[in-house]
Amino acid sequence: MTAPTTRTSAALVDYVTGLGDDALVLSHRLAEWITRAPQLEEDIALANISLDLLGQARTLLGYAGELEGGGAGTGRSEDDLAYLRDEREFRNLQIVEIGNGDFAVTIARQLIFSAYQFELYSALLGSADETLAGLAAKAVKEVAYHRDHATQWTLRLGDGTELSHRRMQAALASTWPYIEEIFDPADVADALAALPGIAVDPATLRPAWAAYVRPVLAQATLTEPRPNRRTRGGRRGLHTERLGHLLATMQSLHRAHPGASW
Amino acid sequence: MYGNIDRIEPPDAPSDATSDAPADGDGGGMVAAARHAEFDRLIADDQRIEPRDWMPDGYRKTLIRQIAQHAHSEIIGMQPEGNWITRAPSLRRKAILIAKVQDEAGHGLYLYSAAETLGVDREDLLDQLHAGKQKYSSIFNYPTLSWADMGAIGWLVDGAAILNQVPLCRCSYGPYGRAMVRICKEESFHQRQGFEILHTLSRGTPAQHAMAQDAVNRFWWPSLMMFGPPDESSAHTVQSKAWGIKRFGNDELRQRFVDMCVDQARVLGLDLPDPDLRWNAERGHHDFGVIDWAELNRVIRGDGPCNADRMARRVGAHEDGAWVRDAADAYAAKHSRDTAAVA
Amino acid sequence: MSGQRGWPLWEVFVRARRGLSHQHVGSLHAPDAAMALRNARDVYTRRGEGVSIWVVPASAIAASSPDEKDAFFDPALDKAYRHPTFYDVPEGVSHL
C-alpha cells in the first residue's frame, strides 16, 4: 500500500475528526438529560446512548490524533482534541449541537441523526481504512439500537396524546432545517476526492435514510416538514451560537489545569 | 444502604408484631398465631421471607420504608455526581462517571421493584419522596463543589454504603437481599473509581492535591453520619435486628469504616480532618472525634445546603415529564393488541 | 388517567448464556411490551448479561397461594415467585 500523501493524511484527519466531533457533541447533549429525564428508565436509556457515542468519539478522535502525528506518537490525544480546540476548529454537523429542548426535540434530533449514523456506519463497514471499518462494525449495532429507541418514542409522542403530537410536530419543524447539511457532500468534497474507498459520500446515504424515516413519521401520524431554510457550515467550523456555550462548560475544568492528569 | 436515614426521629406508634389482625374471620386467632409462628421460625432459622408469605404488618411497613428510602437515595444520589458530568476533565473520566450515575439509576429501579413486591406502587413511593414524607440519605444534601468531590464520594460515600449493603445481602426479606447482591456486584467499581480519582489528584499538581484534600475535609464527617445515630439513641435497631433486617449496629459499622479509611487515607497521601483520630491499642481500633449530631438532625429535617435543590430537580423532572408518560400510556391503550407482540 | 399512576409492572426474565434457562431478575415499569423489552435490556443487561429477555405483565402471572394448604406450606410446590439462587457470591464480599 502506498504511503499516504500529506493531502490524503490531512483529508483523513479532517474527515475522521468530523465524525468524532459529531459523536462527542451529541454524547454531551444526551448526558445533560441525566437526572432530568421523564422517567428513570429514560435516564438509563439516554445515558446508554450517550456512552455509546462517547466511545465512538474516543475511538475516532484518538485515531485522528494518531494520524496527525504520522504514527510517530506526536499527534494530539483524544483529550487534547476534545478540550483544547476552539469552536472554529470543531467539525461537527450543526444538528448535534442544538439544545435538547423538550423531550420531543431530543427525540426528533435522535431520529434524524441516528438513522443517518446507521446508514453511515453501514457504508463504512466497507471502508478501505481498517480502523474506520472496525469502528463501524461495532458502532452499527449501537446506532441500530439508538435508531430503534428514537423510533419507539417518535411513535408514542406522535401517536400519543394531542399535546404530545403537537410537541412532536413542533420538534420536527425545529430540527428539519438541519437535515440538508447532513447529506450535503460539498463540505466533504475534498475528503471524498482524496480518500476514494475510505470516506463515504453522505449524499449516497439519503435515500436509505428517507426510506426509513418517512414511514416512521407516517405511522406516528406526523407530517414531514418543508423547511424554508437550511443550515450549513458545521464541517467548516461554522457553528450555531450554542456550541460555544457547550464547549465553555465541557472544557472549563480541563483548561483550568493545563498539563494536569486526571 | 446509604445509612440509617430516619432514626433520629421519635418512632411512630410503636410497631407491635402481635397487633396484626388476622385476615380470616372465624378461627382467625388460631390461623394468625400459626402464621406468626411460621414467620418466627423462618426468621430464627435464618431463612428468607418471600413476597407471598405471611408477615407482621410492622415487618412489612419497616421494609417498605427502608427499601423505598434506599431507592430514593440512589436516585437522588445521581444528582451530586451528575453535577460534574458535563465538566469531567477527561473523556475517560466522563465515561466512567456517566456509567456510575447510570448504575445508580438502575439500582434505584431494582430497589423500587423489590419494594413493590410488598404491595406498594412505585408512584406512591415517589409521591412520598416528593412530599418529603419519605427520606433519602442525608449525605446527598451536600453540594459537590469541585471535581475532587467525585473522588471523595466514590471513596467515602460508596465505601460507607458498601459496609451497610453487604450485610443486607443476607436480609431476611428475599427480594431485598437479592437486589442487594446484584447491587453489591455492580458497586465494586464505584468505590475503586473514587479512590483512583483521589489517588491521581493527590499525586498531581499542588492545585489538584489541594482540591483532593479540600474534598475529603468536606465529606469526611458527613460520611461518618451516614451510619446513623449512636446505637443507644437509635429507635428501631433492636426490632430491625430481631427481624433479620439489620445485621449490625450503627456504631460497629462506623468503627469498621473509620479503621478502613485510616489505612486508605495513608495510601492516598491525604489527611482525615479529625485531630482526635488515633490508634487505640487496647481497643484494637481507631478512636475518633465527636460527631456533630445537631448538624445531622438539621440536614435530615431539611435544613441542609442542597435539600431544596435536590427535591426541586427531582420533582421538576417528574412533573416536566408527565406529558411524555401520558403519551406512552395513550399509545399503549390505542395499540394494546399490536404492542403485545414483539415490535 | 393511567399516566398519573405510572406504567404497568412487568416481570423480567433473562437467559444470560446459552444452555441456561431464563431466570427472574426483577421487575420494571413500561407502557407496553416493546418498551418493556428495551427497558429490560437497559436496566438488567448493562454488563452484557443477556442472550434472551422475556418480559411478562405482572398481572398475567398466576401464583399459588401459601394459604392453599395450611400455614406450613410445602416448599416443593411450584410457585411463580420462586427465586432459585443463581447469584454467585461476589469475591471478597464477606457475609456473617
Side-chain angles (χ1 to χ4, degrees):
Chain A
M1 186 173 152
T2 51
T5 64
T6 309
R7 177 166 163 260
T8 314
S9 300
L12 187 55
V13 171
D14 232 32
Y15 181 70
V16 171
T17 300
L19 301 186
D21 286 346
D22 285 345
L24 181 72
V25 172
L26 185 56
S27 167
H28 186 95
R29 278 292 184 228
L30 291 172
E32 290 172 348
W33 271 107
I34 298 171
T35 74
R36 294 179 167 88
Q39 193 92 349
L40 271 180
E41 287 81 355
E42 279 307 303
D43 285 286
I44 293 176
L46 293 170
N48 177 47
I49 298 173
S50 173
L51 275 172
D52 285 345
L53 290 167
L54 185 51
Q56 293 168 22
R58 295 181 66 193
T59 300
L60 288 160
L61 293 179
Y63 185 42
E66 260 178 57
L67 291 169
E68 247 191 3
T74 53
R76 287 177 283 183
S77 70
E78 67 186 30
D79 286 340
D80 292 334
L81 289 169
Y83 292 96
L84 299 178
R85 281 182 298 154
D86 293 332
E87 297 89 298
R88 293 284 282 110
E89 298 168 86
F90 271 75
R91 300 254 164 280
N92 54 283
L93 298 164
Q94 290 188 6
I95 190 171
V96 296
E97 70 200 42
I98 68 175
N100 287 329
D102 64 11
F103 192 67
V105 171
T106 289
I107 291 301
R109 183 185 61 202
Q110 282 306 108
L111 179 68
I112 294 168
F113 193 73
S114 57
Y116 151 72
Q117 275 192 315
F118 181 82
E119 303 305 334
L120 168 73
Y121 287 128
S122 298
L124 278 175
L125 288 173
S127 175
D129 182 293
E130 273 175 30
T131 304
L132 287 178
L135 167 74
K138 179 167 183 259
V140 74
K141 292 180 214 164
E142 294 172 345
V143 301
Y145 179 78
H146 304 174
R147 186 178 70 168
D148 172 74
H149 172 269
T151 301
Q152 298 302 321
W153 277 112
T154 301
L155 293 174
R156 281 154 184 79
L157 297 182
D159 192 17
T161 62
E162 260 184 61
L163 173 61
S164 72
H165 180 91
R166 271 203 318 272
R167 288 200 181 204
M168 193 61 202
Q169 193 63 64
L172 294 180
S174 66
T175 50
W176 231 244
Y178 293 90
I179 290 175
E180 292 303 314
E181 186 189 348
I182 299 174
F183 298 108
D184 186 353
D187 289 343
V188 292
D190 288 349
L192 293 173
L195 308 166
I198 292 179
V200 169
D201 180 351
T204 62
L205 305 175
R206 189 162 195 168
W209 173 91
Y212 181 88
V213 170
R214 291 210 162 105
V216 172
L217 295 186
Q219 200 186 336
T221 74
L222 295 161
T223 311
E224 185 177 344
R226 297 202 185 291
N228 60 2
R229 61 181 182 92
R230 52 154 298 183
T231 61
R232 34 173 90 73
R235 294 269 186 246
R236 285 178 282 130
L238 298 170
H239 294 282
T240 71
E241 289 177 347
R242 295 176 201 84
L243 184 65
H245 295 284
L246 185 156
L247 293 179
T249 298
M250 192 179 95
Q251 299 179 340
S252 58
L253 175 61
H254 182 103
R255 289 191 183 224
H257 299 261
S261 302
W262 298 97
Chain B
M1 146 132 203
Y2 287 104
N4 302 301
I5 290 166
D6 62 347
R7 305 309 170 125
I8 301 279
E9 320 254 352
D12 299 342
S15 46
D16 179 1
T18 60
S19 70
D20 310 291
D24 310 331
D26 294 332
M30 275 173 55
V31 176
R35 284 190 181 130
H36 207 310
E38 173 63 5
F39 171 83
D40 289 339
R41 185 191 72 76
L42 289 167
I43 296 283
D45 219 20
D46 203 17
Q47 299 253 10
R48 297 294 170 262
I49 308 297
E50 296 296 347
R52 292 177 65 82
D53 293 339
W54 182 92
M55 60 187 75
D57 211 43
Y59 178 83
R60 183 175 161 271
K61 286 194 168 117
T62 297
L63 275 172
I64 287 174
R65 190 171 177 82
Q66 178 165 327
I67 299 171
Q69 293 191 152
H70 191 170
H72 299 328
S73 296
E74 293 281 356
I75 65 169
I76 298 293
M78 292 165 66
Q79 289 187 40
E81 291 174 294
N83 185 37
W84 281 91
I85 287 175
T86 53
R87 290 173 292 174
S90 77
L91 297 186
R92 176 171 172 265
R93 289 292 174 206
K94 193 173 189 175
I96 292 171
L97 187 56
I98 293 174
K100 178 174 198 279
V101 174
Q102 187 193 35
D103 270 357
E104 281 150 20
H107 295 173
L109 286 181
Y110 299 157
L111 290 164
Y112 286 126
S113 300
E116 283 178 321
T117 63
L118 289 161
V120 289
D121 192 274
R122 176 167 67 156
E123 291 298 304
D124 291 327
L125 299 177
L126 287 174
D127 286 346
Q128 306 247 33
L129 170 66
H130 299 162
K133 291 187 190 145
Q134 280 177 349
K135 299 193 173 61
Y136 54 89
S137 185
S138 56
I139 189 73
F140 300 125
N141 289 315
Y142 292 87
T144 50
L145 300 176
S146 77
W147 169 254
D149 292 16
M150 299 300 99
I153 287 180
W155 176 45
L156 296 174
V157 176
D158 286 321
I162 286 169
L163 274 182
N164 271 313
Q165 277 166 188
V166 167
L168 284 173
C169 293
R170 295 192 53 77
C171 173
S172 56
Y173 187 58
Y176 189 24
R178 285 186 291 276
M180 292 316 308
V181 170
R182 192 176 190 97
I183 288 172
C184 283
K185 258 178 152 171
E186 299 183 355
E187 194 95 359
S188 56
F189 108 81
H190 293 188
Q191 197 196 11
R192 273 203 305 277
Q193 67 95 37
F195 188 88
E196 194 197 33
I197 288 176
L198 287 178
H199 195 259
T200 306
L201 292 173
S202 183
R203 278 154 184 69
T205 68
Q208 285 178 306
H209 182 93
M211 194 196 291
Q213 184 61 66
D214 172 68
V216 170
N217 291 347
R218 282 181 287 105
F219 275 91
W220 173 247
W221 290 103
S223 300
L224 294 189
M225 293 177 199
M226 284 174 66
F227 295 94
D231 292 321
E232 71 215 4
S233 48
S234 178
H236 303 288
T237 293
V238 171
Q239 180 65 83
S240 286
K241 274 182 163 176
W243 275 334
I245 295 174
K246 192 173 169 60
R247 299 289 183 176
F248 300 106
N250 298 349
D251 295 327
E252 179 175 358
L253 290 175
R254 188 175 7 250
Q255 181 67 72
R256 271 196 221 172
F257 178 70
V258 171
D259 293 335
M260 185 176 83
C261 289
V262 168
D263 293 333
Q264 291 176 345
R266 199 172 298 125
V267 173
L268 287 173
L270 297 170
D271 300 321
L272 296 175
D274 181 359
D276 297 321
L277 192 55
R278 68 178 61 84
W279 175 251
N280 182 322
E282 266 181 60
R283 290 199 309 125
H285 292 289
H286 291 88
D287 292 337
F288 53 95
V290 177
I291 291 171
D292 181 0
W293 296 113
E295 178 184 332
L296 177 60
N297 275 331
R298 261 194 305 109
V299 175
I300 285 177
R301 295 212 149 87
D303 185 21
C306 292
N307 301 56
D309 291 340
R310 300 293 181 236
M311 287 313 301
R313 172 73 64 84
R314 170 84 286 271
V315 174
H318 192 74
E319 291 178 349
D320 292 347
W323 70 273
V324 175
R325 299 191 299 274
D326 289 348
D329 277 325
Y331 181 87
K334 287 188 210 180
H335 299 271
S336 55
R337 247 170 286 148
D338 313 335
T339 52
V342 175
Chain C
M1 186 182 5
S2 52
Q4 285 173 351
R5 290 321 315 152
W7 298 334
L9 186 66
W10 303 74
E11 299 292 342
V12 181
F13 302 81
V14 173
R15 173 165 60 216
R17 286 193 304 281
R18 295 191 171 282
L20 301 181
S21 57
H22 284 77
Q23 304 289 331
H24 180 245
V25 292
S27 57
L28 52 77
H29 289 267
D32 54 55
M35 296 299 270
L37 274 171
R38 285 149 182 86
N39 290 346
R41 175 211 185 264
D42 285 341
V43 177
Y44 288 102
T45 68
R46 271 199 311 287
R47 281 159 170 75
E49 310 94 296
V51 168
S52 169
I53 302 176
W54 291 347
V55 292
V56 181
S59 57
I61 293 179
S64 66
S65 165
D67 294 343
E68 276 169 0
K69 302 268 174 171
D70 46 30
F72 307 95
F73 56 85
D74 182 355
L77 269 182
D78 201 356
K79 302 193 284 260
Y81 283 97
R82 180 182 57 189
H83 297 274
T85 48
F86 67 99
Y87 290 104
D88 296 323
V89 174
E91 274 186 46
V93 170
S94 55
H95 295 173
L96 225 201

